[in-house]
């Protein structure tokens, strides 16, 4: 699929080289003639796949923001998708997502429309129809997750269509399930690892759709159906086999735990700045191009709460976050990450058992504290040199860096740029701890960013340099969906078993043992524990934290319990209110005679 994408990009680039050639084209070939050929038709099929980038290449914030896992970035005081108070039907993030989904649907409907006349084998036609049925079910589902009942778009649009009514929530589910089950009954292969649609992918999303319908419509029998489809994936793929570090290695794309991923490669993007930005959004700005780090746009800062949920023995913490930034960010992947040999720019130590002692040691480096914040976290003295005791602090609290010399992170003028930002839980009050942690919130390097999606090298200083695949569904998520369905049934013992299958991932326990949890035996408490586990396992992934909280009915519980932007009191007591779906864009209502203001979701 990566190779096909590359061919498509090359064709597009060549076709745009000389506009006057089109003026002299006497062939007069029509769409019907072009797409009847095998070569011409393949451009439609590939476009159906590659157009998914339209939705995901620029982070779909509606899937992630306004949750427990991510905070508003620095310099932002309000934004609707983060805080709800200013979320209106004119929000650009919401309307872009809505428009992009229907744009991709048009690409899929076009490919399906020309399928019957294409000069390809009947076997291929059946295979491709299965792909298109999946895409239609998938695209309508991600719209449903955000908006509830949706406008179903199931036909190729050759002229403006002005009257497209909104289906009910139940009708929307019926359509989506019908398309996915049709895909499952087609000639799709059972399993693939090359980006093409297979039955494992379809089963995963059928599990997710039935699970969501079970919560939304109270169809308790759907929990059992969701488990059946999830089990089909688990029987096909087996247990987790990679460490978290290996799973997300830049050199291990399309491995057996990846179910569905949008494919990228260096040859399938038109320029070095036309990739995706997934590696650039989950953390703070790391300075300009002169420093040689990756270019972070910082749309979503991982929350204090997310950090706090990882235990000392959980190796996923180190695999999820970049806890040391070397002289250059990508030194981590290129062997230039040897303590005592290579320099570091920022380090993020954590105290597990001696937090009060770390806190007191850090106070000495920061000239004390004032009003619950550290006074000076720059690590600079009056001469812009490293403060006394900084190296000793690193040696004491980062044992792996005992041979820490030379740490010589300086700018071209010899000024110290080394940053030390520890995660310290010295108080029983999380808000006290977080306020200290956020002393540096508006600084570069303020906290560790998520590294799971790193490209592995700096190609160009751009937030969209990445040609890493975007993983939309993974095997561990399937296990978690199964566990969630068990919670829906009130079967907490079985749910615990499947969560512990995720925790038993190889290498998860630093001490060589196996991580495990015990679930509470009330539904809300079990869901809260489950959501903490899914948050740690799936951090940053585009499977969608916001839809997950919404479908389980835990959006308010988790946002109000763990989001600092809310806990400060600046958003009022109930900013979510009735806003349990995203608003249908006003622009979509205005151009569609089948919609009126009565179709708008509650709260807007």
């Amino acid at each position: 699929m990566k190779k096909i994408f590359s061919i498509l990009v090359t064709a597009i680039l060549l076709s745009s080289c000389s506009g006057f050639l089109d003026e002299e084209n006497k062939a007069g070939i029509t769409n019907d003639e072009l797409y009847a050929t095998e070569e011409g038709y393949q451009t439609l099929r590939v476009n159906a796949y590659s157009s998914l980038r339209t939705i995901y290449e620029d982070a779909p914030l509606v899937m992630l923001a306004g949750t427990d896992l991510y905070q508003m970035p620095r310099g932002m005081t309000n934004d609707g998708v983060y805080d709800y108070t200013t979320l209106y039907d004119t929000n650009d993030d919401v309307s872009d997502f809505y428009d992009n989904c229907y744009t991709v649907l048009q690409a899929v409907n076009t490919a399906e429309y020309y399928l019957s006349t294409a000069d390809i084998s009947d076997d291929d036609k059946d295979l491709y129809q299965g792909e298109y049925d999946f895409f239609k079910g998938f695209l309508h589902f991600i719209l449903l997750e955000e908006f509830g009942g949706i406008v179903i778009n199931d036909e190729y649009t050759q002229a403006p269509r002005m009257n497209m009514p909104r289906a009910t929530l139940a009708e929307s589910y019926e359509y989506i399930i019908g398309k996915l089950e049709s895909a499952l009954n087609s000639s799709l292969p059972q399993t693939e690892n090359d980006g093409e649609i297979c039955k494992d992918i379809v089963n995963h999303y059928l599990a997710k759709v039935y699970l969501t319908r079970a919560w939304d419509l109270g169809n308790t029998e759907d929990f059992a159906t969701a488990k059946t489809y999830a089990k089909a994936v688990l029987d096909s793929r087996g247990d987790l086999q990679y460490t978290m570090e290996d799973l997300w290695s830049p050199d291990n794309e399309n491995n057996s735990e990846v179910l569905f991923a949008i494919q990228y490669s260096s040859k399938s993007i038109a320029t070095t700045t036309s990739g995706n930005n997934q590696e650039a959004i989950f953390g703070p700005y790391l300075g300009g191009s002169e420093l040689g780090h990756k270019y972070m746009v910082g749309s979503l800062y991982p929350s204090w709460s997310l950090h706090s949920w990882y235990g000392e023995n959980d190796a996923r913490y180190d695999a999820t976050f970049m806890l040391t930034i070397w002289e250059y960010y990508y030194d981590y992947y290129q062997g230039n990450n040897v303590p005592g040999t290579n320099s570091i720019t920022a380090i993020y130590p954590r105290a597990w058992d001696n937090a009060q002692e770390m806190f007191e040691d850090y106070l000495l480096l920061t000239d004390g504290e004032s009003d619950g914040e550290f006074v000076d976290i720059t690590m600079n003295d009056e001469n812009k040199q490293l403060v006394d005791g900084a190296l000793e602090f690193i040696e004491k609290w980062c044992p792996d860096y005992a041979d820490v010399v030379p740490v010589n992170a300086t700018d071209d003028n010899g000024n110290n740029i080394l940053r030390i930002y520890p995660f310290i839980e010295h108080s029983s009050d999380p808000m006290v701890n977080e306020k200290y942690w956020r002393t540096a919130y508006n600084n570069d390097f303020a906290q560790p960013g998520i590294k799971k999606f790193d490209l592995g090298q700096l190609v160009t200083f751009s937030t969209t340099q990445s040609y890493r695949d975007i993983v939309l569904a993974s095997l561990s998520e399937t296990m978690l969906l199964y566990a969630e369905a068990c919670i829906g049934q009130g079967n907490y013992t079985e749910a615990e078993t499947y969560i512990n299958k995720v925790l038993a991932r190889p290498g998860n326990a630093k001490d060589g043992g196996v991580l495990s949890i015990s679930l509470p035996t009330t539904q809300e408490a079990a869901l809260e524990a489950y959501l903490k586990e899914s948050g740690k396992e799936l951090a940053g992934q585009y499977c969608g934290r916001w839809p997950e909280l919404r479908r389980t009915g835990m959006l308010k519980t988790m946002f109000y319990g763990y989001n600092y932007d809310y806990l400060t009191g600046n958003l009022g007591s109930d900013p979510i209110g009735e806003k349990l779906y995203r608003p249908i864009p006003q622009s979509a209502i205005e151009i569609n005679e089948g919609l009126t203001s009565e179709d708008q979701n509650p709260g807007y």
Side-chain angles (χ1 to χ4, degrees), residues 401-417:
Y401 295 80
D403 184 18
V404 74
V405 179
V407 174
N408 187 31
T410 60
D411 63 19
D412 292 340
N413 297 320
N415 298 321
N416 168 62
I417 57 171

Side-chain angles (χ1 to χ4, degrees), residues 66 80 83-89 146 546 550 555-556 560 574-583 601-604:
D83 64 19
Y84 300 94
T85 60
T86 56
L87 182 57
Y88 308 121
D89 55 16
E146 300 290 335
W546 192 87
R550 186 208 64 78
L555 179 60
K556 289 188 178 183
Y560 294 165
D574 185 21
I576 296 176
E578 296 183 285
K579 298 177 180 179
L580 299 177
Y581 284 109
R582 304 300 194 183
N601 285 321
Y604 303 103

